[in-house]
C-alpha cells in the first residue's frame, strides 16, 4: 500500500509547468496583439471613427444650439400657441447680436431655414436692423417692426424646434416625410417628393447593373477558365485593362461614344439602321448610366466567377454526358451549381459598388440618371445640409449591411471567392 502524493511537474529552472505554460501563452497573445495593432488602429481611424462621426452628425444640431443658447433656455417654457413673452425676444436679440459680431449670423439663418422656408432672409434682415435697436425699450416691439413674420407663431415654432441640440428629423426627410410643429408626421407635398424616387431608382440601377454584369461576365469567365494559358492570359489582360485607366477617362469616353453626334450614332447612321434626324438618345438618361456602369463594373464580376470556374474539373461535364445527359442538362445540374459561390460574391461586390456610384451617373446620367449618391453630394456641396446628407449616407450604409447580412445567411461569408 503506497500512500505517496504525486509531486507537481516542474521545468528545469524549478517553475511549475502549469505556470510556465500560462506565461508562454500570455506572451504569445501579447505578441499577436502587437502584430495586429497597426491594422487595428488603421481600421479604427479610417473606418470606425468616420462612420461614427457620420451617424452622430445626422442627429447633431449642437452648433445652432450653441449660437442660440439663451434663446433655447427661454423658449422651452413657451406653450407654442401665443407669441412668446419679452424674455424670449430679448434672449433671441442677445444671441443674434453676439453671433453678428462673430460673423456667424449666416449659420443661424441657414440652419433655421431648414426648419421653415424664408427664415434665412428674415434672420439676415433682422441681424442688420438689430444693430440700431434701443436696448432701453421693449425688444419685442422693435422686432415686430422689422418684419411681420416675427408676429407669427410658426416663426417662433421654427426657432424653438431649431434650437433642440439633437433630433432625428433628417431621417424622415430621407424618405420624404416631415414632422409638423405639433409633432405629427406626414408626407411632404407631392412636388417635393424626390428622395423615395431616387432610392428606388438607385436600387433599380444597382440590381440591373448586377444582372447585366452577370450575363456578360459568365461566358467571359467560362472562356477564360477553359482556354489554354497562353490565350487566357491575353484575354485576362483585356479584362483587367479598364483597371489601368482612370475612371474619369473611361466615363468621358462613354460620353463621346453615346452622345447624339457621337461615334455609335454615326455608325448606326452610316449603316442606315437609324435616320440622321432620329438619332438615338443614349446620354443624360438611364440608358447611358446602365451602359457605362456595366462596362466599368464588369471586371468585378468576371474575376470571382473565373476564380471558381478554374477549380471546376472539365471531367465532370464529360462524365455527365457519357452517362446520357444532354450538355444543357449537365450544365444546369452540375456545372452551374458549382459556380454559386462565385456568382454570389461577384453579385455582392458589383451591387455594393453600384449602389454608391457617383461620378458615372453624374456625368452620363444627367437629371434622369441621378442616383441617391448624387443627392448626397448635392447636400454636402450646394445646400450645405450636412445633417440630411449624413442621414442619407447612414441609410445607404444600413442598406449595404442588410444586403451583406442576407448574403451571409444564404451563402456564408466564408464561401466568398473574389479571385
Amino acid at each position: 500500500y503506497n500512500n505517496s502524493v504525486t509531486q507537481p511537474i516542474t521545468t528545469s529552472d524549478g517553475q511549475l509547468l502549469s505556470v510556465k505554460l500560462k506565461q508562454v501563452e500570455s506572451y504569445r497573445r501579447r505578441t499577436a496583439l502587437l502584430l495586429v495593432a497597426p491594422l487595428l488602429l488603421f481600421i479604427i481611424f479610417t473606418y470606425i471613427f468616420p462612420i461614427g462621426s457620420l451617424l452622430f452628425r445626422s442627429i447633431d444640431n449642437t452648433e445652432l444650439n450653441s449660437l442660440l443658447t439663451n434663446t433655447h433656455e427661454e423658449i422651452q417654457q413657451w406653450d407654442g400657441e401665443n407669441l412668446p413673452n419679452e424674455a424670449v425676444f430679448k434672449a433671441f436679440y442677445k444671441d443674434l447680436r453676439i453671433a453678428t459680431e462673430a460673423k456667424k449670423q449666416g449659420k443661424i439663418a441657414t440652419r433655421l431655414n431648414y426648419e421653415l422656408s424664408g427664415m434665412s432672409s428674415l434672420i439676415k434682415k433682422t441681424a442688420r436692423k438689430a444693430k440700431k435697436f434701443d436696448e432701453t425699450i421693449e425688444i419685442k416691439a422693435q422686432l415686430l417692426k422689422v418684419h411681420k413674420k416675427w408676429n407669427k407663431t410658426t416663426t417662433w415654432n421654427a426657432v424653438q424646434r431649431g434650437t433642440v441640440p439633437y433630433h432625428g428629423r433628417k431621417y424622415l426627410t430621407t424618405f420624404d416625410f416631415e414632422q409638423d410643429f405639433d409633432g405629427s408626421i406626414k408626407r411632404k407635398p407631392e412636388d417635393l417628393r424626390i428622395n423615395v424616387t431616387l432610392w428606388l431608382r438607385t436600387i433599380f440601377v444597382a440590381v440591373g447593373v448586377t444582372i447585366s454584369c452577370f450575363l456578360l461576365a459568365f461566358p467571359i469567365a467560362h472562356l477564360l477558365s477553359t482556354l489554354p494559358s497562353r490565350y487566357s492570359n491575353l484575354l485576362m489582360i483585356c479584362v483587367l485593362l479598364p483597371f489601368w485607366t482612370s475612371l474619369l477617362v473611361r466615363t468621358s469616353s462613354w460620353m463621346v461614344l453615346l452622345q447624339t453626334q457621337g461615334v455609335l450614332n454615326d455608325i448606326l447612321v452610316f449603316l442606315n439602321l437609324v435616320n440622321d434626324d432620329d438619332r438615338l438618345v443614349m446620354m443624360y438618361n438611364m440608358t447611358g448610366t446602365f451602359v457605362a456602369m456595366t462596362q466599368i463594373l464588369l471586371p468585378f464580376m468576371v474575376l470571382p466567377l473565373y476564380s471558381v470556374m478554374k477549380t471546376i474539373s472539365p471531367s465532370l461535364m464529360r462524365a455527365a454526358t457519357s452517362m446520357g445527359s444532354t450538355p444543357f442538362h449537365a450544365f444546369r445540374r452540375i456545372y452551374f451549381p458549382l459556380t454559386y459561390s462565385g456568382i454570389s460574391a461577384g453579385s455582392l461586390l458589383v451591387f455594393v459598388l453600384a449602389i454608391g456610384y457617383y461620378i458615372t451617373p453624374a456625368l452620363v446620367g444627367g437629371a434622369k440618371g441621378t442616383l441617391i449618391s448624387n443627392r448626397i453630394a448635392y447636400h454636402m456641396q450646394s445646400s450645405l445640409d450636412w445633417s440630411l446628407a449624413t442621414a442619407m449616407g447612414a441609410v445607404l450604409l444600413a442598406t449595404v449591411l442588410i444586403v451583406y447580412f442576407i448574403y451571409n445567411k444564404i451563402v456564408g461569408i466564408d464561401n466568398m471567392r473574389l479571385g
Side-chain angles (χ1 to χ4, degrees):
Y1 177 77
N2 188 359
N3 197 25
S4 61
V5 179
T6 304
Q7 296 295 326
I9 303 175
T10 60
T11 60
S12 58
D13 57 358
Q15 283 187 327
L16 291 174
L17 181 60
S18 58
V19 175
K20 190 69 173 180
L21 289 175
K22 290 181 180 180
Q23 291 177 351
V24 172
E25 190 65 26
S26 176
Y27 173 78
R28 288 180 178 178
R29 284 197 296 266
R30 290 197 301 269
T31 303
L33 181 61
L34 290 175
L35 290 174
V36 301
L39 177 60
L40 181 62
L41 292 175
F42 177 80
I43 292 175
I44 291 175
F45 285 104
T46 63
Y47 188 74
I48 303 298
F49 279 177
I51 291 180
S53 176
L54 171 77
L55 297 175
F56 177 74
R57 190 178 285 273
S58 64
I59 62 172
D60 179 32
N61 192 43
T62 53
E63 182 180 19
L64 181 59
N65 181 266
S66 64
L67 294 174
L68 298 177
T69 304
N70 298 314
T71 306
H72 174 69
E73 294 176 356
E74 293 291 342
I75 206 170
Q76 295 309 306
Q77 310 301 325
W78 177 47
D79 58 7
E81 298 180 359
N82 302 314
L83 281 180
N85 55 30
E86 173 65 15
V88 174
F89 280 85
K90 185 175 294 186
F92 178 77
Y93 163 74
K94 180 181 178 181
D95 289 334
L96 186 60
R97 283 298 306 272
I98 295 174
T100 303
E101 292 174 359
K103 297 182 179 180
K104 294 182 178 180
Q105 71 275 17
K107 293 183 177 181
I108 297 177
T110 301
R111 289 299 186 95
L112 287 180
N113 202 65
Y114 298 153
E115 304 296 334
L116 182 65
S117 180
M119 289 295 291
S120 179
S121 58
L122 176 62
I123 295 297
K124 292 177 181 178
K125 180 179 179 180
T126 305
R128 293 193 302 268
K129 298 286 187 179
K131 297 178 182 179
K132 301 179 182 180
F133 278 14
D134 185 358
E135 297 184 3
T136 61
I137 61 177
E138 190 181 42
I139 299 296
K140 181 177 181 179
Q142 298 180 74
L143 267 180
L144 296 180
K145 290 181 180 179
V146 172
H147 201 285
K148 60 182 180 180
K149 287 185 178 180
W150 290 119
N151 199 30
K152 296 181 178 180
T153 56
T154 53
T155 302
W156 292 102
N157 282 324
V159 174
Q160 184 183 45
R161 192 170 70 175
T163 56
V164 176
Y166 303 102
H167 63 80
R169 291 190 298 274
K170 296 301 180 180
Y171 287 97
L172 296 175
T173 308
T174 300
F175 297 102
D176 292 332
F177 284 90
E178 61 182 359
Q179 186 179 28
D180 283 341
F181 295 124
D182 59 1
S184 61
I185 298 175
K186 64 178 183 180
R187 294 198 67 183
K188 286 188 173 183
E190 189 172 354
D191 57 335
L192 298 178
R193 299 173 191 172
I194 184 174
N195 294 329
V196 171
T197 302
L198 292 180
W199 280 112
L200 295 176
R201 183 188 298 169
T202 301
I203 295 175
F204 171 75
V205 169
V207 172
V209 169
T210 302
I211 295 174
S212 301
C213 287
F214 165 71
L215 295 177
L216 293 174
F218 198 93
I220 296 175
H222 182 266
L223 182 62
L224 282 169
S225 64
T226 55
L227 282 177
S229 297
R230 62 179 182 275
Y231 297 118
S232 62
N233 290 337
L234 180 61
L235 187 57
M236 180 62 74
I237 292 175
C238 297
V239 172
L240 296 176
L241 188 62
F243 284 136
W244 306 335
T245 309
S246 170
L247 176 61
L248 187 60
V249 172
R250 283 181 281 167
T251 305
S252 301
S253 300
W254 278 112
M255 295 176 67
V256 174
L257 289 171
L258 298 177
Q259 61 183 320
T260 307
Q261 301 298 326
V263 177
L264 185 58
N265 267 302
D266 288 342
I267 294 175
L268 295 176
V269 171
F270 177 77
L271 297 175
N272 292 322
L273 296 177
V274 297
N275 296 325
D276 192 24
D277 297 333
D278 299 322
R279 288 172 174 253
L280 300 179
V281 180
M282 295 178 288
M283 275 286 295
Y284 307 121
N285 52 29
M286 294 300 296
T287 303
T289 302
F290 261 100
V291 172
M293 288 181 63
T294 299
Q295 185 271 331
I296 292 171
L297 296 176
L298 185 60
F300 294 99
M301 181 69 76
V302 173
L303 294 178
L305 285 173
Y306 170 72
S307 68
V308 172
M309 291 180 179
K310 194 66 176 177
T311 62
I312 301 175
S313 176
S315 60
L316 295 176
M317 293 292 289
R318 291 196 297 267
T321 54
S322 66
M323 297 178 67
S325 175
T326 62
F328 175 77
H329 188 71
F331 171 81
R332 185 175 64 86
R333 296 294 300 273
I334 298 176
Y335 189 87
F336 188 75
L338 293 175
T339 64
Y340 283 168
S341 59
I343 294 172
S344 58
S347 299
L348 177 66
L349 189 58
V350 172
F351 179 84
V352 170
L353 291 173
I355 202 173
Y357 238 54
Y358 165 67
I359 296 178
T360 302
L363 296 179
V364 180
K368 295 182 179 179
T370 301
L371 304 183
I372 198 66
S373 55
N374 304 110
R375 191 66 177 174
I376 293 174
Y378 166 77
H379 288 301
M380 292 290 290
Q381 299 171 359
S382 299
S383 71
L384 301 180
D385 193 350
W386 285 24
S387 296
L388 179 56
T390 52
M392 289 182 172
V395 174
L396 188 62
L397 174 64
T399 304
V400 173
L401 292 177
I402 291 172
V403 172
Y404 173 81
F405 176 79
I406 295 174
Y407 173 85
N408 188 40
K409 285 294 183 181
I410 298 177
V411 180
I413 195 63
D414 295 335
N415 297 320
M416 180 178 287
R417 300 287 295 274
L418 295 179

